[in-house]
Coordinates of all heavy atoms in Angstrom, one line a residue:
Y211 N 191.8 284.9 -33.0 CA 191.6 285.3 -31.6 C 190.1 285.5 -31.3 O 189.6 285.0 -30.3 CB 192.4 286.5 -31.2 CG 192.2 286.9 -29.8 CD1 192.9 286.4 -28.8 CD2 191.3 287.9 -29.5 CE1 192.7 286.7 -27.5 CE2 191.1 288.3 -28.2 CZ 191.8 287.7 -27.2 OH 191.5 288.1 -25.9
V212 N 189.5 286.3 -32.2 CA 188.1 286.6 -32.0 C 187.2 285.4 -32.0 O 186.3 285.2 -31.1 CB 187.6 287.6 -33.0 CG1 186.0 287.8 -33.0 CG2 188.2 289.0 -32.8
L213 N 187.5 284.5 -33.0 CA 186.6 283.3 -33.1 C 186.8 282.3 -32.0 O 185.9 281.6 -31.6 CB 186.9 282.6 -34.4 CG 186.3 283.3 -35.7 CD1 186.9 282.6 -37.0 CD2 184.8 283.3 -35.7
H214 N 188.0 282.2 -31.4 CA 188.3 281.2 -30.4 C 188.4 281.7 -29.0 O 188.4 280.8 -28.1 CB 189.6 280.4 -30.8 CG 189.5 279.7 -32.2 ND1 188.7 278.6 -32.4 CD2 190.0 280.0 -33.4 CE1 188.8 278.2 -33.6 NE2 189.6 279.1 -34.3
R215 N 188.5 283.0 -28.8 CA 188.8 283.5 -27.5 C 187.7 284.5 -27.0 O 187.9 285.0 -25.9 CB 190.2 284.1 -27.4 CG 191.3 283.2 -27.7 CD 191.4 282.1 -26.6 NE 192.5 281.2 -26.8 CZ 192.8 280.2 -26.0 NH1 192.1 280.0 -25.0 NH2 193.9 279.4 -26.3
T216 N 186.7 284.8 -27.8 CA 185.7 285.7 -27.4 C 184.3 285.1 -27.4 O 184.1 284.1 -28.1 CB 185.7 287.0 -28.3 OG1 185.3 286.6 -29.6 CG2 187.1 287.6 -28.4
R217 N 183.4 285.8 -26.7 CA 182.0 285.3 -26.7 C 181.4 285.4 -28.1 O 180.6 284.5 -28.4 CB 181.2 286.1 -25.7 CG 179.8 285.7 -25.5 CD 179.1 286.4 -24.4 NE 177.7 286.0 -24.3 CZ 176.9 286.5 -23.4 NH1 177.3 287.5 -22.6 NH2 175.6 286.1 -23.3
F218 N 181.7 286.4 -28.8 CA 181.1 286.6 -30.1 C 181.6 285.4 -31.0 O 180.8 284.9 -31.8 CB 181.6 287.9 -30.7 CG 181.2 288.1 -32.1 CD1 179.9 288.4 -32.5 CD2 182.1 288.0 -33.2 CE1 179.5 288.6 -33.8 CE2 181.7 288.1 -34.5 CZ 180.4 288.4 -34.8
G219 N 182.8 285.1 -30.9 CA 183.3 284.0 -31.8 C 182.7 282.7 -31.5 O 182.3 281.9 -32.4
R220 N 182.5 282.4 -30.2 CA 181.8 281.1 -29.8 C 180.4 281.1 -30.2 O 179.8 280.1 -30.6 CB 181.9 280.9 -28.3 CG 183.4 280.6 -27.8 CD 183.4 280.2 -26.4 NE 183.1 281.3 -25.5 CZ 184.0 282.2 -25.0 NH1 185.3 282.0 -25.3 NH2 183.6 283.2 -24.2
S221 N 179.8 282.3 -30.2 CA 178.4 282.4 -30.7 C 178.3 282.2 -32.2 O 177.3 281.6 -32.6 CB 177.8 283.8 -30.3 OG 177.8 284.0 -28.9
V222 N 179.3 282.6 -32.9 CA 179.3 282.4 -34.4 C 179.3 280.9 -34.7 O 178.5 280.4 -35.5 CB 180.6 283.0 -35.0 CG1 180.7 282.6 -36.5 CG2 180.5 284.5 -35.0
Y223 N 180.1 280.1 -33.9 CA 180.1 278.7 -34.1 C 178.7 278.1 -33.7 O 178.2 277.2 -34.4 CB 181.2 278.1 -33.3 CG 182.6 278.1 -33.9 CD1 183.5 279.1 -33.5 CD2 183.0 277.3 -34.9 CE1 184.7 279.2 -34.1 CE2 184.2 277.3 -35.5 CZ 185.1 278.3 -35.1 OH 186.3 278.4 -35.7
A224 N 178.2 278.6 -32.6 CA 176.9 278.0 -32.1 C 175.8 278.3 -33.1 O 175.0 277.4 -33.4 CB 176.6 278.6 -30.8
V225 N 175.7 279.5 -33.7 CA 174.7 279.8 -34.6 C 174.8 279.0 -35.9 O 173.8 278.5 -36.5 CB 174.7 281.3 -34.9 CG1 173.7 281.7 -36.1 CG2 174.3 282.2 -33.7
G226 N 176.0 278.8 -36.4 CA 176.3 278.0 -37.5 C 176.0 276.6 -37.3 O 175.5 275.9 -38.2
M235 N 169.5 278.6 -26.3 CA 170.5 278.9 -25.3 C 170.5 280.4 -24.9 O 171.3 280.8 -24.1 CB 171.9 278.5 -25.9 CG 172.1 277.0 -25.9 SD 173.8 276.6 -26.3 CE 173.9 277.2 -28.0
L237 N 171.4 282.9 -26.9 CA 172.4 283.7 -27.6 C 171.7 284.8 -28.5 O 170.6 284.6 -29.0 CB 173.2 282.8 -28.5 CG 174.0 281.7 -27.8 CD1 174.8 280.8 -28.7 CD2 174.9 282.3 -26.7
V242 N 174.7 288.3 -33.9 CA 175.8 287.5 -34.6 C 175.6 287.6 -36.1 O 176.6 287.8 -36.8 CB 175.7 286.0 -34.2 CG1 176.6 285.1 -35.0 CG2 176.1 285.9 -32.7

Side-chain angles (χ1 to χ4, degrees):
Y211 176 83
V212 169
L213 285 173
H214 298 290
R215 298 294 182 181
T216 68
R217 182 176 181 180
F218 174 75
R220 291 189 291 270
S221 298
V222 170
Y223 280 100
V225 171
M235 288 189 293
L237 299 179
V242 169

